[in-house]
Amino acid sequence: GKEQAAIFQAFHSDVQLLVNASSLQEAVFIASKLVQEKQCVLFSPACPSYDEYENYEKRGLAFKAEVSKLKWGGI
């Protein structure tokens, strides 16, 4: 979203791996490729995304829908 660059700047030197994604779909895809067995991915947005989703519930449902599309079954 709009704050992507600011968030990256704030954390890039303190986080082991930080990846920019242009959409929720891309973020889920990237995370699915990086996560290893017995690891998990925490969906914890730092900012609202009213430009894409009406509210946090709809964004959470969109995240769940994307995860469920993954080959290994999802949530």
Side-chain angles (χ1 to χ4, degrees):
K2 295 186 299 184
E3 302 300 326
Q4 183 178 22
I7 292 169
F8 189 87
Q9 271 307 103
F11 290 101
H12 81 278
S13 61
D14 298 317
V15 177
Q16 185 177 8
L17 177 64
L18 187 60
V19 179
N20 281 327
S22 60
S23 68
L24 179 62
Q25 295 79 11
E26 183 182 18
V28 170
F29 177 77
I30 292 169
S32 75
K33 298 302 179 191
L34 295 174
V35 70
Q36 297 175 8
E37 188 174 346
K38 298 188 180 186
Q39 289 184 327
C40 67
V41 174
L42 173 65
F43 180 56
S44 181
C47 299
S49 55
Y50 298 124
D51 57 329
E52 292 187 55
Y53 303 99
E54 186 178 327
N55 56 45
Y56 73 93
E57 293 164 327
K58 291 193 178 184
R59 180 171 53 182
L61 290 172
F63 174 74
K64 188 174 180 178
E66 288 302 315
V67 171
S68 69
K69 293 177 187 176
L70 298 173
K71 288 182 184 178
W72 44 269
I75 298 172

